[in-house]
Amino acid sequence: MTRAGRPDRAEVVDMLAAFGQRAADTVPDELGSLELTWLIAEFEQRYGIEVDLDDERFAAVRTVDDATGLLREALLASTSPGAAQP
């Protein structure tokens, strides 16, 4: 797990590699909706937070970099003062 509360691209790629049991260097940059759904569930389990996405935001995530940014935002939001804790 990346310290300072920020998953990086390498960690996201590693999580995606586990989906389909493949090598990290074979993970494509483009994400399908099934891969994204799995990634979010894996992230939620790993970090113990819930990612709340509307359909528009979900549809906007197309690449590994998009997903990395989304997950960083979710983690930062969960640790912000006033954020609901699970």
Side-chain angles (χ1 to χ4, degrees):
M1 180 174 1
T2 303
R3 297 294 162 226
R6 293 181 182 243
D8 61 12
R9 181 176 172 44
E11 183 177 0
V12 172
V13 168
D14 286 343
M15 284 191 275
L16 287 166
F19 180 73
Q21 301 173 334
R22 55 192 167 182
D25 63 352
T26 65
V27 173
D29 190 53
E30 297 288 321
L31 298 177
S33 60
L34 185 57
E35 284 178 310
L36 180 57
T37 300
W38 185 90
L39 176 64
I40 291 169
E42 179 69 16
F43 176 82
E44 289 176 337
Q45 183 177 11
R46 186 176 289 197
Y47 283 90
I49 65 170
E50 185 175 329
V51 178
D52 186 26
L53 292 179
D54 61 22
D55 291 341
E56 184 176 313
R57 182 67 172 122
F58 183 88
V61 178
R62 299 275 187 217
T63 67
V64 171
D65 289 337
D66 293 343
T68 302
L70 170 78
L71 298 177
R72 283 180 178 175
E73 289 172 20
L75 192 56
L76 288 172
S78 75
T79 59
S80 296
Q85 298 296 319

